[in-house]
Amino acid sequence: MIKKDNSPIYVTQPDMPVFDEFVESLREIWDSKFLTNNGKFHQELEKRIAEYLKVPYVSLFSNGTLALITALQTLRIQGEVITTPFSFVATTHSLHWNGIKPVFVDIEEEYLNLDPEKIEAAITPQTTAILPVHVYGRPCNHEKIQEIADNYGLKVIYDAAHAFDVNHNGSTILDYGDLNVLSFHATKTFNTIEGGAIISHDIKTKQRIDFLKNFGFANETTIVAPGINAKMNEVQAAYGLLQFKSLENNRLKRQKVWEKYSEELKDVPGVKIPELPDGLSHNYSYYPALIEEQDYGISRDKLYDKLKEERILTRRYFYPLISNIPTYRGHNSSKLSNLPIANKIAEQVLCLPLYASLESFEVEKIISLVKNNVRENFLI
Ligand SMILES: *Cc1c(COP(=O)(O)O)cnc(C)c1O
């Protein structure tokens, strides 16, 4: 069985606003001739996101990577920063672009996030900050991370690229740490085509962030830092504003797919589904499955290939591990013996397609293929 129009099933599809409504916004932008530099739509989107996520201050960016780079500059982070190798490469790249040495610490087997128990051993006199990631929107152990940061006088910047609209025990996980960075890339749950944001807790910090993303301009004649150009434009902001109309509905649709996968795959030998922690209101943005070759019969990569033959394009988020790519593999902390769990998980993980417009016959097809690969093997 192939999808009706014969097109592949991607791991995600962007949630997009209604075209005609977007055209209306475009007309307004055209008429105003105000295209960028903190315009009407930009200001409105910052306000809407702050209200929706219940966070104090939002600074919009042209993408999440520049937001990460700027977050580090905002707090003047230098030297060494402790981070996870199990993330998208932009996490560590943001350190590299600031001339900061990444120090990789292994992840927890259960939650796949930076393991707080292993952070202290990685601290040196050069350590200035911790850069954890809420992988797949699953919250880090923020209490332990903050305790260590407080003891050693370190800053904490969360790469919260997957954590738009995740609440734990009733409050947003964007409250944790000194700064939080979001990505609004087309593959993320809330998208502005390309885009991102830094969430800050006080107005002075927001002001510094806003200077830094606009070349360092504090006013027409005062340039306070060698800032970058990372502004979100009006077209992106207008697109983002229209997303609020369908946000809740799309989340519910993803939740349904998520629950269907979990129900059907929970007893498949060799397929492990990491559970969500208690008290979590999730965004259901990714569906990671861990394929354990010994019990499943074929490797994760074989399954990936087989699904691809059926035009189902899953993704190995996150493989290769950041610590294993040429730029970073030379670091002491990149050694396999330092990161056994992250290396194991990177070999097992496969993210299945998950998005609001995924149809139930497609979900059923994916489930049956994942199940059938096991059965095939048992017949041999
Ligand atoms: C998507 C992503 C980024 C980068 O965001 P862009 O908006 O694509 O620049 C950073 N970190 C993580 C964990 C991501 O998934």
Side-chain angles (χ1 to χ4, degrees):
M1 188 171 73
I2 292 177
K3 216 181 152 193
K4 272 175 267 170
D5 58 3
N6 213 14
S7 60
I9 301 176
Y10 294 98
V11 74
T12 191
Q13 288 278 292
D15 292 329
M16 295 172 71
V18 176
F19 183 69
D20 288 344
E21 292 179 4
F22 185 49
V23 170
E24 250 175 66
S25 301
L26 276 181
R27 185 158 292 124
E28 197 180 329
I29 293 168
W30 247 247
D31 290 345
S32 75
K33 297 193 166 54
F34 202 107
L35 305 181
T36 187
N37 284 15
N38 198 24
K40 176 190 155 191
F41 287 97
H42 184 285
Q43 289 177 28
E44 209 174 314
L45 184 59
E46 284 194 345
K47 222 175 104 216
R48 274 305 288 281
I49 292 174
E51 278 166 14
Y52 186 82
L53 298 178
K54 299 192 176 63
V55 295
Y57 298 102
V58 175
S59 299
L60 293 174
F61 275 76
S62 50
N63 62 63
T65 305
L66 284 167
L68 275 170
I69 290 171
T70 305
L72 292 158
Q73 296 198 350
T74 303
L75 302 180
R76 300 177 186 277
I77 306 300
Q78 289 181 333
E80 296 179 4
V81 168
I82 289 170
T83 191
T84 169
F86 189 67
S87 180
F88 183 60
V89 287
T91 309
T92 306
H93 284 354
S94 72
L95 298 172
H96 188 89
W97 277 89
N98 278 300
I100 295 165
K101 179 178 163 189
V103 175
F104 297 111
V105 162
D106 209 1
I107 58 172
E108 304 164 297
E109 180 115 39
E110 196 179 352
Y111 295 117
L112 312 178
N113 289 322
L114 196 61
D115 187 346
E117 301 294 340
K118 296 183 181 142
I119 291 176
E120 249 176 311
I123 295 175
T124 76
Q126 282 71 49
T127 311
T128 55
I130 307 172
L131 177 61
V133 182
H134 299 300
V135 175
Y136 313 126
R138 301 149 59 81
C140 292
N141 187 337
H142 69 103
E143 280 170 3
K144 281 210 178 130
I145 290 172
Q146 196 58 54
E147 192 185 314
I148 296 165
D150 290 343
N151 281 346
Y152 290 87
L154 307 176
K155 299 285 188 196
V156 183
I157 298 173
Y158 280 98
D159 180 338
H162 304 173
F164 187 89
D165 207 6
V166 177
N167 292 291
H168 197 203
N169 299 328
S171 53
T172 171
I173 70 173
L174 300 172
D175 284 342
Y176 311 157
D178 295 286
L179 293 175
N180 276 266
V181 176
L182 296 168
S183 165
F184 304 146
H185 183 257
T187 54
K188 307 298 204 282
T189 41
F190 178 88
N191 85 89
T192 56
I193 307 174
E194 293 270 3
I198 303 179
I199 310 298
S200 51
H201 302 311
D202 63 272
I203 185 71
K204 273 194 184 166
T205 308
K206 172 172 167 56
Q207 193 182 54
R208 176 163 165 80
I209 295 165
D210 290 345
F211 293 165
L212 287 175
K213 75 173 190 191
N214 186 29
F215 311 95
F217 277 108
N219 59 44
E220 248 182 81
T221 50
T222 315
I223 296 114
V224 296
I228 196 137
N229 178 6
K231 294 178 267 83
M232 179 181 283
N233 68 49
E234 286 293 272
V235 176
Q236 288 170 283
Y239 176 106
L241 275 167
L242 292 170
Q243 300 250 347
F244 284 97
K245 298 190 175 190
S246 51
L247 222 49
E248 222 26 69
N249 201 18
N250 285 337
R251 181 226 282 263
L252 289 174
K253 285 183 183 165
R254 288 195 306 271
Q255 181 175 359
K256 276 209 178 120
V257 178
W258 206 96
E259 284 167 358
K260 176 85 177 157
Y261 277 143
S262 294
E263 178 59 31
E264 296 282 339
L265 297 177
K266 70 175 191 292
D267 296 326
V268 180
V271 178
K272 199 174 125 198
I273 308 301
E275 279 177 33
L276 294 177
D278 288 339
L280 194 73
S281 155
H282 203 222
N283 59 14
Y284 303 98
S285 49
Y286 296 86
Y287 197 86
L290 302 176
I291 308 300
E292 294 165 341
E293 183 174 356
Q294 202 149 42
D295 292 331
Y296 187 65
I298 61 170
S299 69
R300 183 274 314 269
D301 288 343
K302 274 250 173 67
L303 176 60
Y304 167 86
D305 288 339
K306 285 189 166 213
L307 291 171
K308 201 168 169 184
E309 280 167 24
E310 302 285 335
R311 306 171 70 79
I312 295 163
L313 307 180
T314 60
R315 290 296 298 268
R316 288 163 286 192
Y317 294 138
F318 294 97
Y319 168 86
L321 214 55
I322 304 177
S323 49
N324 290 339
I325 70 172
T327 318
Y328 304 118
R329 68 185 171 203
H331 291 293
N332 251 341
S333 63
S334 296
K335 283 193 296 229
L336 176 63
S337 57
N338 187 47
L339 307 166
I341 298 172
N343 275 277
K344 186 179 87 174
I345 299 295
E347 294 291 329
Q348 294 182 340
V349 73
L350 193 68
C351 284
L352 302 182
L354 178 56
Y355 49 90
S357 58
L358 192 63
E359 296 193 43
S360 51
F361 80 90
E362 296 173 316
V363 176
E364 269 158 32
K365 181 185 175 181
I366 294 161
I367 288 167
S368 113
L369 284 165
V370 172
K371 282 183 169 173
N372 278 333
N373 280 321
V374 185
R375 222 169 295 140
E376 240 176 52
N377 177 67
F378 280 174
L379 292 176
I380 293 168

